[in-house]
Amino acid sequence: NLKDIRFSEALTEIPRGALAECGAARLELPAGITRIGIQAFAGMQYLDQSEIDLPDGLTVISDFAFFNTPFYAISIPSGVTCIGDQAFRIDGYSSPQMISFSFPENLRCLGNKAFMGQGLMEEITLPGGLEWMGESVFCDCGSLVKAVLSEFGLPVVRIFCLTVKTVLHTPC
């Protein structure tokens, strides 16, 4: 049984499915990672850490990267420009869900269902530079009571699935 996972400092990308369904308890990423591949850490149900620290040089979090991987907080580095489809989705309420999350100002795209099922998130503020946002991004986020977002053209119902209680639009 793996307990801790540490990657080589020379690694720049975590490949597709690298640790999907892995039973490791701790995950430590090297500073040189710029991209997390599709399903790289999907289904890591046994993580025993409340927060994941992502490297400062990270720019892309691919589709399903942390799908069904439980943790309470994540710090997304300022260089991340894209979060893929279902990247942080929790499928069901049995797993721990994010309480704390902040979006980087450089974020340009946010994939379909990226945070679906994160039932403990209470408030979000989306950055003004967001250029594209998929559908149902915050669907089934039952505790979400406030969302602050810029005008970017998608109807609120398609983003939140009617789960958010207060939506504030701010000028770009």
Side-chain angles (χ1 to χ4, degrees):
N1 290 339
L2 288 172
K3 295 289 183 197
D4 294 340
I5 295 179
R6 292 187 181 95
F7 294 93
S8 165
E9 288 297 323
L11 195 63
T12 59
E13 180 175 339
I14 305 293
R16 178 185 196 124
L19 293 173
E21 305 295 327
C22 176
R26 294 207 44 82
L27 179 63
E28 188 176 314
L29 300 176
I33 296 294
T34 59
R35 181 182 191 91
I36 296 175
I38 295 170
Q39 294 181 324
F41 304 114
M44 291 185 66
Q45 293 291 322
Y46 301 103
L47 276 183
D48 187 25
Q49 59 193 97
S50 60
E51 183 170 357
I52 303 282
D53 289 320
L54 299 176
D56 289 337
L58 187 64
T59 59
V60 175
I61 300 171
S62 298
D63 298 347
F64 302 94
F66 292 95
F67 179 84
N68 272 346
T69 297
F71 43 84
Y72 293 106
I74 192 163
S75 178
I76 302 289
S78 63
V80 171
T81 58
C82 187
I83 296 175
D85 293 349
Q86 301 188 48
F88 294 100
R89 179 179 177 183
I90 294 292
D91 193 14
Y93 288 93
S94 59
S95 299
Q97 299 149 26
M98 269 188 261
I99 295 171
S100 174
F101 186 87
S102 61
F103 293 95
E105 282 301 314
N106 290 330
L107 188 65
R108 298 293 172 251
C109 66
L110 195 50
N112 294 307
K113 301 177 183 176
F115 292 89
M116 185 174 191
Q118 292 289 350
L120 299 179
M121 291 175 85
E122 295 179 353
E123 182 176 330
I124 57 165
T125 300
L126 297 174
L130 197 59
E131 296 169 0
W132 184 85
M133 191 172 201
E135 292 188 18
S136 305
V137 175
F138 300 102
C139 203
D140 295 332
C141 294
S143 296
L144 192 58
V145 293
K146 181 179 178 185
V148 179
L149 54 133
S150 298
E151 298 291 337
F152 47 82
L154 284 179
V156 171
V157 67
R158 290 177 56 197
I159 298 167
F160 300 103
C161 300
L162 299 174
T163 58
V164 71
K165 291 154 183 70
T166 304
V167 176
L168 303 173
H169 291 279
T170 60
C172 291

